[in-house]
């Protein structure tokens, strides 16, 4: 007869109790983990990029908490204790990480962006556009931002600003005309 490779946590706990009869179990710890695990897992996910790493991180922190369970005097502050264990564990993992960088004679060139647009040029255009928008009068600026950055319709923009649809159309038209004539944007085109 073969032993299954993967056993459930309760089977593992039962065998551990049989192997270590003097081991202490804490029902309050079990209830705490059941109640707070989703919140603590969200915290762990915010510390790591990979959900699997977050689960491992939380498991390690909960193990450290279990070992220190008797020493924790104020059980109302458990979340803070576990969060600190999460952070300390993640910091330790980060410090121990393996760096996969190697010195080489020639620097590798990044792959060209699809469409051939340089990210620096895109950022320059973005910055120039915002500077031009900031030079518009406040009312026109608000309408342009609502129409094109917030993607509201003319009717929705009119409702937000409490003006008529015709006012929105004419103000946006004038604003776009000013943006077309803006000398800084003309250099980018």
């Amino acid at each position: 007869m073969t032993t299954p490779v993967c056993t459930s946590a309760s089977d593992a706990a039962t065998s551990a109790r049989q192997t270590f009869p003097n081991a202490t179990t804490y029902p309050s710890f079990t209830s705490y983990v059941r109640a707070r695990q989703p919140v603590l897992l969200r915290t762990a996910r915010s510390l790591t990029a990979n959900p699997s790493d977050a689960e491992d991180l939380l498991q390690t922190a909960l193990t450290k908490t279990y070992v220190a369970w008797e020493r924790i005097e104020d059980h109302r502050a458990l979340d803070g204790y576990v969060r600190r264990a999460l952070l300390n564990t993640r910091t330790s993992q980060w410090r121990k990480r393996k760096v996969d960088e190697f010195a080489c004679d020639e620097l590798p060139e990044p792959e060209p962006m699809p469409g051939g647009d340089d990210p620096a040029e895109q950022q320059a255009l973005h910055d120039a556009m915002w500077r031009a928008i900031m030079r518009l009068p406040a009312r026109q600026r608000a309408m342009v931002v609502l129409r094109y950055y917030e993607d509201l319709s003319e009717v929705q923009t009119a409702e937000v600003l409490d003006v008529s649809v015709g006012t929105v159309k004419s103000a946006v038209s004038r604003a776009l005309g000013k943006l077309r004539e803006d000398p800084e944007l003309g250099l980018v085109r």
Side-chain angles (χ1 to χ4, degrees):
M1 183 170 145
T2 60
T3 307
V5 175
C6 189
T7 61
S8 70
S10 61
D11 292 342
T14 304
S15 66
R17 275 189 230 107
Q18 292 169 354
T19 308
F20 305 105
N22 294 334
T24 308
T25 58
Y26 303 108
S28 58
F29 178 79
T30 304
S31 62
Y32 170 76
V33 171
R34 283 189 184 129
R36 301 298 294 165
Q37 186 174 9
V39 174
L40 296 171
L41 186 57
R42 275 196 305 270
T43 303
R45 283 187 180 156
S46 71
L47 295 172
T48 62
N50 184 342
S52 298
D53 290 342
E55 291 171 359
D56 292 343
L57 178 63
L58 178 60
Q59 192 67 32
T60 304
L62 289 174
T63 302
K64 291 178 180 182
T65 304
Y66 182 82
V67 170
W69 193 255
E70 288 181 338
R71 293 190 318 254
I72 300 173
E73 295 174 7
D74 186 7
H75 282 237
R76 293 174 297 180
L78 283 172
D79 281 351
Y81 185 92
V82 176
R83 283 191 184 105
R84 175 50 61 185
L86 283 167
L87 187 60
N88 290 346
T89 303
R90 182 63 184 142
T91 302
S92 296
Q93 290 172 349
W94 179 78
R95 286 179 180 152
K96 293 176 188 176
R97 78 188 187 286
K98 181 180 175 184
V99 177
D100 293 330
E101 293 181 14
F102 304 99
C104 59
D105 294 334
E106 194 174 314
L107 291 175
E109 290 296 323
E111 294 294 322
M113 298 285 289
D117 291 338
D118 181 19
E121 289 178 15
Q122 290 177 353
Q123 186 62 43
L125 176 61
H126 179 266
D127 293 344
M129 179 61 77
W130 270 111
R131 283 191 299 274
I133 289 173
M134 293 306 292
R135 285 191 292 270
L136 292 173
R139 189 171 178 175
Q140 287 180 358
R141 181 174 54 239
M143 290 182 190
V144 167
V145 168
L146 289 173
R147 282 285 291 128
Y148 297 104
Y149 284 88
E150 296 295 324
D151 202 27
L152 296 181
S153 68
E154 291 169 340
V155 173
Q156 292 169 325
T157 303
E159 288 174 2
V160 169
L161 297 175
D162 197 28
V163 295
S164 70
V165 176
T167 302
V168 171
K169 289 179 181 181
S170 63
V172 167
S173 176
R174 282 192 300 274
L176 292 177
K178 287 181 182 179
L179 291 174
R180 279 187 207 101
E181 295 170 3
D182 190 284
E184 189 175 6
L185 293 177
L187 295 175
V188 180
R189 280 186 243 148

